DNA sequence: TATGGTTTGTTTAGTTCTGAATGAAGGGGA
DNA sequence: TCCCCTTCATTCAGAACTAAACAAACCATA
């Protein structure tokens, strides 16, 4: 493919801002190296950004053998973003600063199958946004448990929510008058992980979530893989056994039927480890208390996950596997089965692939969605399309004239 | 002629040439759209290429509502490339024109485990190249059954050849004095498929080879995925059964233990379908003759492959699956088991993914390797690195001064 | 304390590329 | 036939970018 020099300055100015936001203050020389731009251009661009009030000069850094670097830092009030996580029973919303820090959170019950669903969603977001600070709001990121045709369009197919071609992006955009980016929730998480988490240092990573279900996002050559219809990363329906429980998808032996939360609960009930009406918390408590039958259930799940991920390491050759999600709270129990199965199933040449478990917070999903907005400056290939351009535009415009914010 | 064309012009000039080679003649406007360049720049670049004699103006095309397009086409004598396939018992070499057509082929026995292996390889290539036409030779592409650190470096790890960090790229480059690109053979095939085959119309594809082993290459967002160490696409060791035959990698239930050529032969012998000393051709003959026990073996292999590929469709969300390799000759037998297993294992939303079986020729592997050289112009991200730059340079220089001294 | 080396940042001159206006060449309807 | 529309291609002013030289600030070492 040829280079896309369209709107280069726009992309480069934003890339500087994003880099400062993601990696903290940096010198002009560091930025030039990181973004593959000439020092000459960095001088020019940083001058513009300084006069626009988007960045400012910080203290000098001690010399590293030559002239000491004058650091550049973001002006924190330059912008903020709103992230939305849509689940099958609630909506979580967060407001994050341009540097990725969470400023405000909210969570409310929500019925995605209701006919008034879209109006309700708009209403909730309007109220949340109204309560925010007065720094420019750059846009809204939405994470959904399903396939999204394109981030900028935001047409969602999510069987678990009962959605078929739900026009989330277009509707929110029209009603809120803001740039809106919609993406699969695991992919959004991967974007956040790449900006702020461990993925920052890895251009090829496999990001796996465990919780109510199991999901994955694929980072290759620094970008999150979407696939032809935005559906890449669906590892829950990898066949891992020739005969096994019947999955919701109609098949036997899907990975999900062994390791999803409901699968663990089902197994625990069958084996009498927990009461017929008890749930995952009972199983977790039993395992934490050292009940062998309970820890075995987690360990077996870890075993299945380990084998499946080893297969994916062979297919994708990532540098690292990063595990996230509500289920990571029980990782100590999973790892008993995971580690031996994973390592044994790997070819010798791949046996060194590290597996990292990131700390998980309640609002991580929504934070990931917000990262969609804050990541747009990196989006040179136009993954976010027109909406990404609008986000960049708002960042530059509103900072230049901070008076009328929507 | 331009005084000092920088990297970007170089890339764009080459992108034009590659597009013409891959997709046939095109108008300036079409090229501008395809390569995301402005029409203004296309005018400039095509003028340069015309005066350099690399392209020429063809006939007008009938109007499509406006001014008719004046088509531009490659000058066929602008260059050629050599492709090398290295297998565990022989080496195949082809010479292809800039438009991808095979001009000449050769195949000789070869022992990759011999200590004189590199010298032998150089010798064979020297002799082959000496017999070629006098159009400029742009470079040599090498396909190997193993992991390659980077196309331009060409450090190969190939257990099946007994190679550990074999410096194929550096050695050939030094000895031949030509740009050399080394890549995993399935990845090279994917590059060719993307340039000349069905993959031309698909930015996200899964390319699967069946034959002595089973392999895959992943095309995402238009590019062939290499993974962190050039090892992506290894699907032979996906775990597909909880207990099964022990694989050469030491595990149980790898896909390869069910569907590789040696696995089929082993099963056929166990079941008495073929004689204990007979091989794959005997099994094939039996199946072609309609022997149920033989067709069943293929059908079972198809079943396993179908389930595994369905899993990968969920993970990668390709637009299409393309099947290649020596084994495609028996596809009619495979498909009995493949189709139902594949379709059934897919989630409803993905059930429409087409599976295409491409015609296979003996020299397809080597042709794929040659495509590495001819594809370098597309290589904006520098996958081929310095060697790619050299290929482009040769293309421009040699065409600018054909025959004369430079 | 000079001297040379290193890293950072700026300036200058010149190239590459885009946007917008314009010309070129044809189709189709009243 | 004339007029408007579409698509293809070129021209030109100016923006974006780079390379290369230079200036600034600091360290190390003799």
């Amino acid at each position: 493919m040829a280079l896309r020099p369209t709107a280069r300055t726009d992309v480069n100015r934003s890339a500087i801002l994003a880099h400062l936001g993601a990696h903290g203050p940096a010198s002009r020389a560091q930025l030039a190296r990181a973004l593959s731009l000439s020092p000459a251009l960095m001088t020019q661009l940083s001058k513009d950004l300084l006069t626009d009030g988007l960045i400012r000069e910080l203290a000098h850094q001690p010399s590293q053998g030559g002239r000491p670097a004058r650091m550049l830092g973001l002006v924190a009030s330059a912008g903020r973003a709103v992230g939305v996580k849509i689940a099958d029973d609630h909506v979580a919303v967060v407001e994050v600063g341009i540097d990725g820090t969470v400023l405000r959170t909210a969570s409310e019950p929500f019925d995605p199958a209701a006919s008034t669903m879209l109006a309700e969603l708009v209403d909730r977001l309007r109220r949340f946004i109204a309560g925010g600070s007065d720094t420019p709001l750059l846009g809204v990121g939405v994470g959904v448990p399903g396939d999204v045709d394109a981030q900028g369009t935001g047409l969602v197919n999510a069987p678990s929510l009962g959605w078929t071609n739900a026009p989330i992006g277009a509707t929110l955009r029209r009603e809120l008058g803001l740039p809106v980016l919609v993406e699969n929730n695991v992919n959004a998480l991967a974007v956040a992980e790449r900006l702020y988490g461990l993925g920052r240092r890895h251009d090829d990573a496999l990001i796996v979530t465990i919780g109510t279900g199991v999901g994955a996002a694929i980072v290759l050559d620094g970008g999150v893989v979407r696939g032809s219809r935005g559906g890449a990363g669906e590892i829950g329906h990898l066949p891992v056994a020739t005969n096994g429980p019947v999955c919701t998808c109609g098949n036997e032996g899907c990975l999900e039927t062994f390791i999803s939360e409901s699968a663990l609960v089902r197994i625990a009930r069958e084996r009498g480890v927990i009461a017929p009406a008890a749930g995952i918390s009972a199983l977790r408590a039993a395992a934490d208390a050292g009940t062998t039958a309970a820890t075995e259930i987690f360990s077996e799940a870890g075993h299945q996950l380990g084998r499946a991920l080893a297969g994916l390491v062979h297919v994708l050759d990532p540098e690292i596997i990063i595990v996230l999600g509500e289920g990571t709270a029980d990782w100590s129990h999973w790892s008993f089965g995971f580690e031996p199965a994973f390592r044994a199933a790997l070819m010798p040449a791949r046996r060194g692939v590290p597996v990292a478990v990131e700390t998980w917070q309640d609002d991580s999903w929504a934070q990931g969605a917000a990262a969609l907005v804050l990541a747009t400056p990196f989006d040179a290939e136009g993954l976010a399309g027109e909406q990404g351009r609008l986000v960049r535009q708002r960042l530059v415009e509103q900072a230049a004239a901070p008076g009328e914010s929507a």
Side-chain angles (χ1 to χ4, degrees), chain A residues 376-402:
Chain A
T376 46
F378 275 139
D379 173 36
E381 291 106 38
L383 210 65
E386 174 69 6
Q387 295 302 302
R389 204 185 56 72
L390 287 177
V391 170
R392 290 194 283 269
Q393 192 178 320
R394 289 178 73 88
L395 182 58
V396 174
E397 277 178 8
Q398 304 220 7

Side-chain angles (χ1 to χ4, degrees), chain A residues 13-403:
Chain A
R13 284 171 60 115
S14 312
I16 293 170
L17 296 174
H19 191 274
L20 293 177
H23 299 78
S27 70
R28 290 169 177 83
Q30 284 169 354
L31 285 169
R33 282 191 297 267
L35 304 176
S36 297
L37 299 174
S38 63
L41 183 57
M42 268 312 302
T43 293
Q44 198 56 43
L45 293 176
S46 57
K47 196 187 292 174
D48 292 352
L49 290 171
L50 280 167
T51 58
D52 280 358
L54 289 171
I55 63 174
R56 58 179 179 173
E57 291 196 319
L58 306 177
H60 288 252
Q61 246 200 350
S63 162
Q64 288 170 343
R67 174 174 172 175
R70 181 170 292 168
M71 305 301 278
L72 301 174
L74 272 189
V75 172
S77 63
R80 61 193 169 106
V82 164
V84 186
K85 173 218 179 175
I86 299 181
D88 58 2
D89 60 344
H90 71 284
V91 165
V93 192
V94 302
E95 179 184 318
V96 304
I98 201 173
D99 53 353
T101 54
V102 175
L103 304 174
R104 210 154 50 92
T105 72
S107 183
E108 291 182 55
F110 179 67
D111 177 14
S115 61
T116 57
M117 174 272 290
L118 271 171
E120 291 255 356
L121 188 59
V122 168
D123 189 50
R124 279 177 169 74
L125 285 177
R126 276 222 187 90
R127 288 210 313 275
F128 183 85
I129 290 170
S133 69
D134 58 352
T135 53
L137 178 53
L138 301 178
V140 177
V142 183
V144 297
D147 295 356
V148 181
D149 67 333
Q151 282 187 9
T153 319
L155 214 55
V156 179
N157 281 294
S160 67
L161 302 182
W163 291 1
T164 307
N165 286 329
I168 304 299
T171 305
L172 291 183
R173 184 151 50 249
R174 189 181 61 240
E175 297 296 326
L176 299 176
L178 288 168
V180 175
L181 294 169
V182 188
E183 180 57 288
N184 170 274
N185 52 8
V186 187
N187 282 351
L189 205 57
V191 170
E193 187 61 23
R194 177 103 183 101
L195 272 182
Y196 308 113
L198 274 173
R200 212 159 45 188
R201 288 190 294 276
H202 302 282
D203 270 354
D204 299 275
L206 180 61
I207 287 156
V208 177
T209 63
I210 55 177
T212 53
V214 53
I218 302 164
V219 175
L220 283 175
D221 293 332
V224 176
V225 169
R226 306 193 77 253
S228 66
R229 297 184 235 177
E234 182 58 76
I235 66 169
H237 301 285
L238 271 178
V240 295
T242 43
N243 45 19
V246 174
C247 178
T248 52
C249 76
N251 284 292
E252 298 181 344
C254 289
L255 179 61
E256 204 166 86
T257 63
F258 291 97
I259 72 170
S260 73
E261 204 173 278
S262 59
L264 299 185
V265 169
R266 174 179 51 74
I267 295 168
R269 286 177 184 162
E270 281 171 10
R271 298 189 187 168
V273 179
I274 58 176
I280 186 73
S281 50
L283 178 59
R284 181 173 301 153
D288 289 343
T291 313
T292 311
T295 56
E296 253 175 17
I297 289 175
F298 283 113
S299 174
E300 286 167 17
H303 180 88
Q304 290 292 358
L305 182 65
R307 273 174 57 90
L309 290 191
L312 291 183
V313 167
H314 293 153
V315 173
L316 299 170
D317 192 17
E319 280 177 76
I320 189 174
I321 292 182
I322 300 172
V323 183
L324 294 165
E326 295 86 355
T328 53
D330 306 313
W331 185 252
S332 59
H333 301 309
W334 287 69
S335 65
F336 262 101
F338 178 87
E339 274 295 327
F342 178 68
R343 299 297 165 193
L346 285 175
M347 303 190 307
R350 305 278 162 78
R351 209 154 278 169
V353 177
V355 177
V357 182
E358 281 255 48
T359 55
W360 184 256
Q361 281 141 16
D362 277 344
D363 44 17
S364 290
W365 285 116
Q367 206 178 341
L372 293 174
V373 176
L374 299 178
T376 46
F378 275 139
D379 173 36
E381 291 106 38
L383 210 65
E386 174 69 6
Q387 295 302 302
R389 204 185 56 72
L390 287 177
V391 170
R392 290 194 283 269
Q393 192 178 320
R394 289 178 73 88
L395 182 58
V396 174
E397 277 178 8
Q398 304 220 7

